[in-house]
Amino acid sequence: MRRGAAIGMLVAAGVSASAVAALSVIDEPAVVDTVARRVRSAVPTVGGCDVFPADNAWNRDVSADPLRADSDAIIATIQSNGGTRLHPDFGENPDYGIPYVVVPPDQPLVPVDYVAYGDESDPGPFPIPLDAPVEGGSAATGDRHVLAVRAGTCELFELYRAFPTGNRWRADSGARFDLSSNALRPAGWTSADAAGLPILPGLVRYEEVASGAIHHAIRVTFSRTQRGYIAPATHFASTRTDPTLPPMGLRLRLKASYDVSSLSGQAKVIAVAMQRYGLIVADNGSNWYFQGAPDPGWDDDDLNQLKAVPGTAFEVVDTGSIQR
């Protein structure tokens, strides 16, 4: 459009003559002298797949969300029932943390036999190789979580108490998640985690810490929980009815007033994520233990700084009502 016509339109639209006079005159073609940078999504990715949509509960920034009215009471009860400080449940020891594997779209399917919670599990077969890494190592006797992301289809498969047996997996429970969907498990169903939640989205992963920012909430456990859950959780794992105990799915947030500048390196990146995205209660376990994936890049000296962060530095975010 010619400049004269443009000025006529501006005046007709009520733009003052002085404003028109202030406009720059464009009398030559635009020249691009800087290469445009692609804006990266803040959604975490694994194996080329977004780990759930940007508006998924795991990926939502809750730094400005209101607190639950009973926040102080819940924190006080947590502090009276076990450990009182943060504890990274991963580090330089490769047997610590919850591992996962990325498999190709054509990964062979393996049958799964459920021996405990088959009525609340997704039926196999799953594309989880029989040599997939097991939480705690092949000889572990604990939760023995096994996680696999199928690239291409962007599906997440998770098993609890999983043992490779012959040509199949034997597990207490298992779940499949579509990483492109916000769909939840059926109400009342467990998963490979007590809360009915996926495990992978809540793990601290070295590559995201090394990039300088975590863009999701972090999985945490407590020694005592209540008989109830808050979405996106779908399952409880307790008979206790004390309303000040944390339910599954409860969202906690490191207070904005906590001075993260006192931390450095990996610890500082994790603490900032706890202020922005918080923690989600996913299972019964040791108080304030939060989980990450094993990686040789972890630095225990860095991570151990977090062990000085008290539970009283956290508050409880109001993300919905408790289902019982």
Side-chain angles (χ1 to χ4, degrees):
M1 182 183 294
R2 292 177 297 172
R3 180 174 178 272
I7 291 177
M9 291 176 63
L10 289 168
V11 173
V15 180
S16 69
S18 59
V20 171
L23 294 173
S24 299
V25 176
I26 302 175
D27 55 7
E28 60 184 29
V31 176
V32 177
D33 57 6
T34 302
V35 177
R37 293 185 178 181
R38 183 177 179 181
V39 178
R40 293 184 59 191
S41 168
V43 176
T45 62
V46 172
C49 299
D50 285 352
V51 182
F52 295 121
D55 61 349
N56 187 273
W58 284 103
N59 300 330
R60 196 169 66 80
D61 185 329
V62 297
S63 58
D65 282 20
L67 299 184
R68 285 182 59 96
D70 54 358
S71 174
D72 289 346
I74 291 174
I75 296 297
T77 297
I78 290 172
Q79 294 297 89
S80 68
N81 282 316
T84 60
R85 295 178 182 273
L86 277 181
H87 188 101
D89 197 16
F90 59 97
E92 293 177 9
N93 187 328
D95 289 335
Y96 292 167
I98 302 178
Y100 66 92
V101 63
V102 177
V103 300
D106 60 352
Q107 176 68 35
L109 300 175
V110 176
V112 181
D113 294 335
Y114 294 116
V115 296
Y117 307 104
D119 57 339
E120 297 177 18
S121 296
D122 292 316
F126 283 178
I128 303 179
L130 290 168
D131 61 353
V134 175
E135 179 187 11
S138 60
T141 59
D143 286 351
R144 292 184 60 92
H145 289 115
V146 177
L147 284 54
V149 173
R150 181 159 62 181
T153 63
C154 293
E155 295 167 286
L156 169 63
F157 299 86
E158 301 186 340
L159 297 173
Y160 166 63
R161 291 278 299 161
F163 295 83
T165 305
N167 66 345
R168 59 210 311 113
W169 284 100
R170 177 172 58 85
D172 279 13
S173 61
R176 169 197 171 275
F177 296 92
D178 179 353
L179 293 176
S180 68
S181 170
N182 286 333
L184 305 180
R185 306 280 291 160
W189 278 33
T190 189
S191 60
D193 228 347
L197 292 166
I199 296 171
L200 179 67
L203 297 181
V204 178
R205 293 181 288 116
Y206 174 74
E207 59 266 28
E208 57 190 358
V209 173
S211 76
I214 297 171
H215 296 291
H216 61 80
I218 297 169
R219 178 187 188 270
V220 71
T221 64
F222 291 107
S223 60
R224 292 189 178 185
T225 58
Q226 68 163 283
R227 187 182 184 277
Y229 58 85
I230 300 173
T234 59
H235 185 261
F236 53 74
S238 174
T239 59
R240 297 182 176 91
T241 57
D242 180 348
T244 65
L245 284 170
M248 293 295 169
L250 188 75
R251 194 77 163 249
L252 301 109
R253 178 178 66 201
L254 183 62
K255 294 177 181 178
S257 60
Y258 187 83
D259 184 11
V260 296
S261 67
S262 63
L263 303 172
S264 61
Q266 296 171 357
K268 184 174 183 179
V269 174
I270 294 169
V272 169
M274 290 179 175
Q275 288 182 323
R276 292 188 60 190
Y277 299 93
L279 308 171
I280 297 182
V281 181
D283 202 353
N284 296 315
S286 298
N287 259 14
W288 296 109
Y289 274 50
F290 66 96
Q291 286 69 43
D295 194 281
W298 292 125
D299 183 327
D300 283 350
D301 288 338
D302 263 11
L303 296 174
N304 286 341
Q305 297 174 78
L306 294 166
K307 294 180 180 180
V309 179
T312 52
F314 286 81
E315 54 199 1
V316 183
V317 180
D318 187 353
T319 57
S321 59
I322 300 174
Q323 306 299 311
R324 295 184 171 89

